Amino acid sequence: MKKDLPPNIVEDVYIAVVLESESPTSRHWNVYLINQKEEPIKNVLISSKGYGIKDEREVKTSVLRHFIGDVDASEFALVEAIDEQVFGLTNEYLLSYYIGRTIYDKKFIFLPESIVDSNLIRIPVINKPGILIGI
């Protein structure tokens, strides 16, 4: 069954949480898909959810599904806005896309408290500070 399927490994496609802007009172964050392949990816679908423990009780966010469509080579696409209140949770993104007739899937996980200032880097292609998963 599953062992008979080819190992369709996702490479050169990333999920990033990017700091878009900040003021003395707030920060605005977005989640992006980055395609650093030399070919477009088609029919991109991303499901996102958050889960974990906050204030000593179990918390789960709603599952959100985003149809992104096609993302050209060396381009990026906005997935969703993300609130700082969920940074203390595990934030999970399940990505599916096609190249030709082959489907690719990968789960990207931002662990609790991984989205912090000390982990910020300059995100390629977008050229803003953020946290990158998938390298």
Side-chain angles (χ1 to χ4, degrees), residues 44-95:
V44 177
L45 181 66
I46 299 174
S47 295
S48 64
K49 66 180 178 180
Y51 53 89
I53 305 293
K54 190 166 186 166
D55 299 328
E56 298 182 19
R57 60 187 185 101
E58 189 173 334
V59 176
K60 291 182 183 180
T61 67
S62 299
V63 175
L64 301 176
R65 292 173 183 84
H66 309 279
F67 179 70
I68 307 299
D70 300 343
V71 180
D72 288 331
S74 301
E75 290 293 328
F76 61 92
L78 176 67
V79 176
E80 65 183 9
I82 187 168
D83 192 298
E84 287 182 308
Q85 293 180 20
V86 300
F87 288 176
L89 302 175
T90 298
N91 290 284
E92 180 180 294
Y93 295 86
L94 180 58
L95 166 69

Side-chain angles (χ1 to χ4, degrees), residues 15-43:
I15 298 286
V17 174
V18 174
L19 177 60
E20 293 287 350
S21 62
E22 62 183 318
S23 69
T25 58
S26 67
R27 294 172 126 188
H28 178 77
W29 299 83
N30 282 327
V31 178
Y32 286 93
L33 169 75
I34 302 171
N35 177 17
Q36 287 200 300
K37 292 184 161 304
E38 294 181 6
E39 59 190 322
I41 57 178
K42 307 271 186 185
N43 296 319

